Amino acid sequence: MIKMITNKELIEKTKNVLNPKEINAALGIQTGYTGCALLTKNGSVYTGVNIDLACGIGFCAEHNAISTMITNNEFDIKKIVAFSAIGKIIPPCGRCRELISQISKYNYNNTEIIISNNKSKKLKELLPLDWKRYFK
Ligand SMILES: [Zn+2]
């Protein structure tokens, strides 16, 4: 039986992983300023935090949570949310939207992106004119 989790519970999990740290102020290297939680189609929850590095080699909290999900051999995301240390839910950046869409055909039409405490959108609404559809 797949365990259901409410949006509110998923949002709470993002706050639980927030752990803002400035690793190297001179280089602007920080971690944990954004937390992400995702629920898979199978009912698993994975979390992650951002890693901001110099030279553009860091990655978003979504990226981190998705990597952990894939490590556990899951690819289909039912819901995903990110919460910033500035105290707001923030939608995924363009790179993360593309990442979510490329790892599973399920995700483009089905992943629910939580964009506020009481509002969400499907990935396909946030990533219209998907280029991958032209390769079918
Ligand atoms: Zn991102």
Side-chain angles (χ1 to χ4, degrees):
M1 174 113 181
I2 294 171
K3 184 183 163 209
M4 283 309 296
I5 184 169
T6 66
N7 287 5
K8 187 177 178 189
E9 289 169 327
L10 203 60
I11 292 165
E12 280 306 308
K13 290 182 183 295
T14 68
K15 296 174 183 175
N16 291 341
V17 294
L18 276 181
N19 186 18
K21 285 189 173 157
E22 196 152 20
I23 306 296
N24 184 328
L27 297 177
I29 297 173
Q30 306 172 327
T31 62
Y33 279 80
T34 304
C36 174
L38 66 82
L39 174 69
T40 68
K41 192 169 83 173
N42 293 334
S44 304
V45 173
Y46 299 103
T47 58
V49 297
N50 70 306
I51 301 174
D52 286 337
L53 302 174
C55 309
I57 60 170
F59 48 85
C60 299
E62 293 93 329
H63 195 132
N64 195 344
I66 289 165
S67 298
T68 304
M69 173 186 74
I70 290 173
T71 302
N72 285 279
N73 201 32
E74 291 197 71
F75 299 86
D76 299 336
I77 301 171
K78 188 166 175 53
K79 297 178 183 182
I80 187 167
V81 61
F83 191 88
S84 167
I86 62 172
K88 295 178 181 173
I89 292 169
I90 51 172
C93 74
R95 183 171 182 259
C96 286
R97 294 176 197 193
E98 188 66 34
L99 171 65
I100 295 164
S101 80
Q102 286 195 27
I103 58 168
S104 165
K105 287 183 179 174
Y106 170 89
N107 293 342
Y108 187 74
N109 289 317
N110 297 293
T111 298
E112 182 183 328
I113 312 278
I114 298 170
I115 59 171
S116 73
N117 284 327
N118 51 19
K119 192 171 183 183
S120 61
K121 290 192 176 280
K122 295 287 188 182
L123 178 61
K124 64 184 177 185
E125 296 177 87
L126 299 181
L127 196 62
L129 297 174
D130 182 27
W131 65 271
K132 294 177 291 304
R133 295 174 64 185
Y134 295 89
F135 286 85
K136 286 181 180 172

